[in-house]
Amino acid sequence: MTADAFLLYGTRAVEAEPVRLRAGALTADFVNGNLRSIRHGGTEVLRAIAYIVRDRDWGTYEPTLADLTIEQDAEAFSVSYSASCQAPDGSRLDFRATIKGSADGQLIFDVSALPDNDFETNRCGFCILHPIAGLAGSPVTVEHTDGSVVAMRLPELIDAWQPFKDLRAITHEVRPGVTAECRMQGDTFEMEDQRNWSDASYKTYVRPLALPWPYVLPAGKTFRQTISLRIEGRGKVPAAAATVEPIRVTLGKAGPGLPDIGVIVYPDEVEAALGKLPMLCELGPQQLMFHFDPTRGHGLDALRSYARLAAAYPVRTTLECVIAGDGDLDAELSGVADRVRQAGLKLSAIAVSPSVDRQSTPPGSAWPQCPPLEDVYAATRRAFPDSRLGGGMFSYFTELNRKRVPADPLDFVTHCTCPIVHAADDLSVMQSLEALPFITASVRTIFGTIPYRIGPSTIAMRQNPYGGATKANPDNQRIAMADRDPRHAGLFGAAWTIGYAARVAPAGLEMLTLCSFTGPFGVLASSGEPVKEGTPRPIFHAVKGLCDLAGHAHVVAATTTDETRVLALAGRSQTGRIIVWLANLTPADLPVDVSGLGSDQDFLNIWDGRTSRQIQRDASGRDRLVMTPYAIVRIG
């Protein structure tokens, strides 16, 4: 990579380059002991086969590999290595892995694990990821542990629970005439729809969630699991493209209005925001969302600080209000309303959630005590009769899908997403954008046409519904469930933000929140980042671009010929002017053909996240640009 990794990712740490394994038409990328992007004839068969060890908070151990051997020729490849995971209590899990692939379409991944002492874990074993693109809603054949074989379909809308249980094998069509059977041995497997968490996959994993966790692997006992992939059939292998064609951008029909862009604000960030008020005005969000949690000590002082900021930057305001919900609801909500009035805070809306609903209730677990949400919303309506009322989940779509709030009392429904719940590598984070249209379609199916908000959704995890806490990240690494993520400060974060907005634009959201103003989720830099402290991070320019579009334009359908690499968002103003934003989702330079944008100007105005320039149109009208890694480009 020739680009500056620090500018791209907000950290100088660079991910290990994958080793491409190849045997005939079968290919796979070997990364950190696991397999990614398993393809046959260029078609993705499985997104990953990975041996995963998780701690009691569902954090993922990063194993230390040793004795790595890789051998391959034209007809076969083999990999072997040893690995070790060390728990905080000093116990260790050692395992030995072998991977073999052959040109006849066979792939075997085998692991034997041995704990030196009793080893506590929430999960230890294989995860197999089937892609969603081209497979969502498609037929599969499922073999259960009792030997029964059933014809089924992968879910089209997102399944709140496990679509398949007691699995031994899954078979799907790779392309006409070619099938892939994935067989699992060594334990009982089941599948969950990972689109719930915005992962772009269906995940088949070891050990049913209905069984207790965490659990203990006894010292000295060997645990062996094997995944076998068999690809069969005489289907034609697609011919490789002779040349790399530029990615083409095309505009279509006008769609719904673009959503308001919000910014989340926490009590300890108000003073910094007031100190940077001109930059907040330059950013231009249509709404401020104020987080208020009396269960964690927020009180009158926090509301007064919010009132000061709302007076200094007078836009619509929403109070994201957490309640204890363990007593008299009218007394609790009227107490909040009294403090809001005492603070002088004028609210446009209030979104409310019982504190207990911030934690997930996994399949097989007992639902925690919680007042009926109808009663929560009714008490909130009585306390705030002049404000719009929102409900849903302050955590993720997962929780909203599993606990479907009553919509009738609400003026809008809301939830968040986070792309690093399960994996934090660059590819997985960008691939999470593929799941967003399925999330919005599922919400629309469940809740109909009620106004719909998303956010705050950021790369980093602001709270952990699946464990005791988010993961600290003092070394600025790529860590799942981390409370901060370095890529938020790099061009990567800007590209992810534009890509996110592009993926949800057709849903006709009322509001979209993808950042705070200051702090780890903010648009202004802290010390030690690629740009100077207090100056705009690259994400500032992405969010400002979205703010400029919001309220002044309607969505224009914008597609590209490869939306795994470049996403487009377009809006048409009332005067007919079209503005297009493009996001390069990859670490590579990409040629892009923008002739289809139909501009009648003699030049195109380009901003790529670093520099502003103009591209002169040539006589043929063929307008091409090269998008640098993770660049965002504004045209118009």
Side-chain angles (χ1 to χ4, degrees):
M1 179 187 298
T2 58
D4 180 358
F6 192 39
L7 177 62
L8 296 183
Y9 305 109
T11 175
R12 291 183 172 85
V14 178
E15 289 185 326
E17 288 291 327
V19 176
R20 176 61 54 89
L21 305 173
R22 185 183 299 275
L26 177 66
T27 62
D29 289 344
F30 179 75
V31 186
N32 296 330
N34 295 313
L35 297 179
R36 295 290 304 264
S37 302
I38 301 161
R39 298 177 180 272
H40 188 267
T43 302
E44 188 175 33
V45 179
L46 295 176
R47 187 138 280 184
I49 303 176
Y51 192 81
I52 302 295
V53 185
R54 299 199 189 275
D55 63 24
R56 67 178 297 115
D57 287 324
W58 294 102
T60 304
Y61 287 103
E62 189 71 30
T64 302
L65 271 60
D67 305 322
L68 174 62
T69 301
I70 300 176
E71 298 178 348
Q72 59 180 320
D73 56 34
E75 297 298 313
F77 59 76
S78 66
V79 179
S80 64
Y81 64 88
S82 300
S84 179
C85 296
Q86 183 100 17
D89 65 2
S91 59
R92 194 179 73 247
L93 180 72
D94 298 323
F95 56 93
R96 181 69 183 171
T98 59
I99 302 170
K100 294 181 179 180
S102 56
D104 61 359
Q106 307 290 315
L107 176 66
I108 298 175
F109 196 156
D110 180 86
V111 172
S112 292
L114 181 66
D116 68 339
N117 290 296
D118 288 355
F119 189 88
E120 184 184 63
T121 182
N122 276 1
R123 177 172 296 155
C124 179
F126 279 109
C127 290
I128 302 101
L129 305 184
H130 282 76
I132 59 176
L135 280 187
S138 66
V140 294
T141 301
V142 172
E143 181 180 331
H144 293 291
T145 53
D146 63 3
S148 62
V149 178
V150 184
M152 305 184 76
R153 284 184 176 271
L154 291 166
E156 175 70 35
L157 297 174
I158 301 175
D159 199 319
W161 311 106
Q162 300 97 323
F164 308 142
K165 295 183 178 181
D166 299 322
L167 290 176
R168 183 61 65 227
I170 303 173
T171 303
H172 75 277
E173 185 178 69
V174 176
R175 58 182 177 273
V178 177
T179 61
E181 179 197 75
C182 182
R183 182 165 294 274
M184 299 144 279
Q185 296 173 294
D187 209 324
T188 300
F189 288 75
E190 63 187 20
M191 176 186 282
E192 67 186 9
D193 194 335
Q194 275 208 133
R195 296 175 299 173
N196 274 294
W197 296 270
S198 75
D199 296 69
S201 58
Y202 302 99
K203 180 173 73 176
T204 301
Y205 55 91
V206 74
R207 187 174 168 94
L209 281 174
L211 296 176
W213 46 265
Y215 60 98
V216 172
L217 302 178
K221 181 179 179 180
T222 299
F223 297 85
R224 183 179 180 184
Q225 295 174 23
T226 305
I227 305 300
S228 303
L229 180 65
R230 185 177 65 196
I231 302 169
E232 296 181 314
R234 298 180 177 275
K236 183 178 179 181
V237 176
T243 59
V244 178
E245 289 291 326
I247 296 170
R248 296 187 304 279
V249 185
T250 305
L251 298 183
K253 296 181 179 179
L258 287 158
D260 281 356
I261 301 301
V263 165
I264 182 73
V265 182
Y266 297 90
D268 60 353
E269 296 173 355
V270 173
E271 291 304 321
L274 288 168
K276 293 284 187 179
L277 192 59
M279 297 191 75
L280 178 61
C281 295
E282 181 184 352
L283 185 69
Q286 283 75 36
Q287 300 214 31
L288 297 178
M289 182 188 297
F290 298 132
H291 180 71
F292 185 68
D293 185 357
T295 71
R296 298 185 179 176
H298 298 172
L300 183 58
D301 287 345
L303 295 171
R304 282 175 170 159
S305 68
Y306 289 152
R308 291 171 57 213
L309 182 57
Y313 185 74
V315 293
R316 290 184 291 277
T317 56
T318 297
L319 191 69
E320 183 188 57
C321 181
V322 178
I323 63 168
D326 55 3
D328 187 318
L329 292 173
D330 279 312
E332 183 174 10
L333 269 303
S334 63
V336 174
D338 288 342
R339 291 193 291 276
V340 168
R341 283 190 290 270
Q342 188 177 349
L345 176 60
K346 305 299 182 183
L347 294 178
S348 307
I350 178 170
V352 64
S353 174
S355 181
V356 69
D357 276 350
R358 291 185 295 186
Q359 293 303 118
S360 182
T361 301
S365 301
W367 289 91
Q369 290 294 319
C370 182
L373 291 177
E374 292 87 350
D375 294 349
V376 172
Y377 299 151
T380 307
R381 183 74 76 182
R382 288 189 291 270
F384 294 88
D386 299 323
S387 298
R388 298 181 71 233
L389 174 61
M393 293 292 160
F394 295 169
S395 52
Y396 308 128
F397 169 74
T398 319
E399 286 64 57
L400 183 63
N401 201 16
R402 290 175 174 173
K403 186 175 183 178
R404 299 180 178 184
V405 304
D408 287 344
L410 300 176
D411 296 310
F412 61 89
V413 67
T414 184
H415 68 83
C416 308
T417 68
C418 176
I420 60 168
V421 173
H422 295 112
D425 60 279
D426 297 337
L427 180 59
S428 293
V429 172
M430 281 302 185
Q431 285 178 336
S432 71
L433 301 176
E434 295 177 23
L436 296 176
F438 292 99
I439 289 177
T440 56
S442 297
V443 170
R444 286 300 188 201
T445 300
I446 297 167
F447 295 103
T449 59
I450 184 174
Y452 174 20
R453 300 183 178 191
I454 292 180
S457 296
T458 56
I459 297 176
M461 178 180 272
R462 66 173 188 149
Q463 61 107 12
N464 184 2
Y466 315 109
T470 54
K471 299 293 182 183
N473 191 8
D475 297 325
N476 227 18
Q477 301 296 306
R478 297 167 174 85
I479 300 174
M481 297 189 176
D483 60 0
R484 60 186 62 216
D485 191 286
R487 290 164 294 193
H488 183 87
L491 286 170
F492 185 103
W496 183 84
T497 298
I498 293 294
Y500 196 113
R503 285 293 196 183
V504 301
L509 299 180
E510 176 179 274
M511 180 176 169
L512 176 63
T513 303
L514 297 174
C515 67
S516 59
F517 182 59
T518 61
F521 307 109
V523 296
L524 301 183
S526 301
S527 62
E529 294 188 6
V531 296
K532 184 180 177 182
E533 183 176 4
T535 62
R537 291 167 168 159
I539 192 175
F540 179 101
H541 304 288
V543 175
K544 183 181 185 303
L546 299 178
C547 293
D548 290 343
L549 282 176
H552 302 290
H554 280 69
V555 172
V556 174
T559 59
T560 75
T561 50
D562 189 346
E563 294 192 334
T564 66
R565 294 191 292 166
V566 175
L567 283 173
L569 173 68
R572 185 193 300 272
S573 71
Q574 293 180 348
T575 63
R577 182 187 180 198
I578 293 179
I579 295 175
V580 181
W581 281 91
L582 304 176
N584 180 355
L585 309 181
T586 78
D589 289 339
L590 295 179
V592 179
D593 182 347
V594 295
S595 304
L597 301 187
S599 173
D600 57 2
Q601 298 175 333
D602 292 330
F603 55 84
L604 297 173
N605 294 309
I606 301 294
W607 184 85
D608 69 359
R610 282 169 281 195
T611 59
S612 297
R613 64 189 190 279
Q614 293 180 343
I615 292 181
Q616 188 75 32
R617 303 193 68 173
D618 62 28
S620 67
R622 300 291 290 178
D623 300 309
R624 296 184 180 182
L625 63 143
V626 175
M627 294 187 69
T628 53
Y630 301 115
I632 57 173
V633 169
R634 171 179 166 159
I635 301 173

